[in-house]
Amino acid sequence: MEPGNNTHISNFLLVGLSEVPELQPLIFGLFLSMYLITVFGNLLIILAVSSDPHLHTPMYFFLSNLSFVDICFTSTTIPRMLQNVQIQSKVITYEGCIVQMHFYILFAGLDDILLTVMAYDRFMAICHPLHYTVTMNAQLCGWLVLVSWIISVLNSLLHNLMILRLSFCSDLEIHHFFCEIQQLIQLACSDTFLNNTVLYFGSVIMGGIPLAGIIYSYSKIVASICGISSAQGQYKAFSTCASHLSVVSLFYFTCLGVYLSSSDTHSSEASAIASVMYTVVTPMLNPFIYSLRNKAVKRALKRFFG
């Protein structure tokens, strides 16, 4: 691309979930409610973990980090969408679109990696209980979170740099409610082969490797649980993983739905609707899954409000 080819691009148009005027108040109210539930729900998890000394363990340390990332994740897309609906504008600046895409990829990658780290934590707790306290010390937990941030930031920066090399011509409508990277690549009028290649391999590495780590961890966990003689012991061991396994299943099933819907180039609306499950519904449900299925978190919340 020659220098300055895309300097005339100043705005994109976010089409959103629907262009029907009558549906805009309903969409605004629904997404505002889900956003507030997501923020307050995850904030309560963070406050419960930080205020209760009984929850100062690796599992809840990673959970509080996941809750923080979920708040940031939804905050990259929903407030902008609500603003556009409220002022009845579809415009987002080129710079704003790039920044939104950067943080979206960053926090999506962090979500994925943190779920893998949490699976490793459960693997160590159940398969190697005698070494758990020594292995999962505060220093290692801090390093795992730091490395997760570094990997996610580098991945996001790589995709940003690849988008900045593209030039855009006339069609600037993004058929989504946020600046989704695949939509931006499809709008480019320059060669996108390298972008698609990087996007494909990035998805395999950032999605496939964490998923393989989670599957491996849980295969070992299931084998260890099956080796426990008492049914009560099996239930107790499984109960420590149930919440995390529910969140992982929800995360990857919604991601799969987005992938399958976006594989059809003529189904932009279906892809946007499927993305709602991944970007809004999953972060909103995570606090409920962990609080409703976890007695320790419920006790901490009662003490916090008590």
Side-chain angles (χ1 to χ4, degrees):
M1 182 186 75
E2 295 179 4
N5 272 7
N6 63 345
T7 55
H8 65 284
I9 297 299
S10 58
N11 297 310
F12 287 102
L13 297 178
L14 292 174
V15 175
L17 295 174
S18 174
E19 296 185 78
V20 180
E22 291 78 9
L23 291 178
Q24 300 309 307
L26 176 62
I27 292 174
F28 181 85
L30 179 62
F31 276 82
L32 177 61
S33 301
M34 290 193 294
Y35 178 66
L36 292 176
I37 292 172
T38 301
V39 172
F40 286 116
N42 283 286
L43 191 59
L44 283 177
I45 294 291
I46 296 172
L47 292 174
V49 172
S50 60
S51 63
D52 193 334
H54 297 93
L55 299 184
H56 293 175
T57 62
M59 180 174 71
Y60 296 107
F61 170 72
F62 296 132
L63 174 59
S64 60
N65 277 273
L66 181 67
S67 294
F68 172 75
V69 170
D70 280 340
I71 292 174
C72 296
F73 187 33
T74 54
S75 297
T76 61
T77 57
I78 303 306
R80 180 72 199 198
M81 188 199 76
L82 293 175
Q83 180 188 6
N84 285 3
V85 172
Q86 181 67 20
I87 64 176
Q88 298 181 355
S89 171
K90 301 177 182 179
V91 175
I92 183 171
T93 64
Y94 176 82
E95 294 79 9
C97 193
I98 296 299
V99 170
Q100 186 185 64
M101 185 193 70
H102 169 74
F103 285 107
Y104 171 82
I105 296 174
L106 167 63
F107 292 120
L110 262 175
D111 246 346
D112 198 10
I113 298 175
L114 283 176
L115 287 174
T116 309
V117 170
M118 294 171 75
Y120 174 72
D121 172 71
R122 292 299 84 206
F123 162 74
M124 291 299 301
I126 294 175
C127 300
H128 304 283
L130 298 179
H131 303 284
Y132 177 73
T133 305
V134 176
T135 304
M136 298 302 294
N137 53 63
Q139 185 177 9
L140 177 63
C141 293
W143 274 108
L144 286 173
V145 172
L146 178 61
V147 170
S148 300
W149 274 92
I150 292 173
I151 293 173
S152 300
V153 168
L154 292 177
N155 175 62
S156 183
L157 285 175
L158 173 62
H159 288 297
N160 261 31
L161 292 173
M162 295 303 299
I163 289 294
L164 289 174
R165 63 180 289 275
L166 296 178
S167 59
F168 300 89
C169 299
S170 57
D171 185 12
L172 302 178
E173 284 193 351
I174 300 174
H175 294 274
H176 222 296
F177 63 94
F178 65 93
C179 292
E180 202 264 337
I181 183 170
Q182 195 168 16
Q183 294 273 337
L184 286 176
I185 292 175
Q186 291 175 0
L187 291 180
C189 57
S190 55
D191 182 38
T192 60
F193 174 77
L194 187 58
N195 290 76
N196 285 315
T197 303
V198 171
L199 180 62
Y200 174 77
F201 281 105
S203 300
V204 170
I205 293 173
M206 293 296 293
I209 293 178
L211 180 60
I214 292 172
I215 293 174
Y216 175 81
S217 297
Y218 273 100
S219 66
K220 294 295 183 179
I221 288 171
V222 170
S224 295
I225 292 176
C226 291
I228 299 175
S229 56
S230 67
Q232 185 179 1
Q234 289 180 340
Y235 175 78
K236 185 178 180 180
F238 179 76
S239 64
T240 64
C241 304
S243 298
H244 177 258
L245 191 58
S246 301
V247 171
V248 167
S249 301
L250 186 63
F251 181 86
Y252 276 100
F253 276 124
T254 52
C255 287
L256 182 62
V258 173
Y259 173 76
L260 291 177
S261 61
S262 62
S263 62
D264 182 6
T265 57
H266 302 288
S267 184
S268 300
E269 184 178 350
S271 176
I273 294 174
S275 296
V276 172
M277 293 294 298
Y278 169 52
T279 58
V280 185
V281 177
T282 300
M284 181 183 69
L285 292 180
N286 285 355
F288 293 99
I289 293 173
Y290 276 104
S291 61
L292 293 177
R293 298 184 61 90
N294 194 306
K295 294 180 180 179
V297 174
K298 285 192 286 187
R299 284 197 298 266
L301 288 173
K302 288 179 181 178
R303 292 193 195 101
F304 181 78
F305 289 108

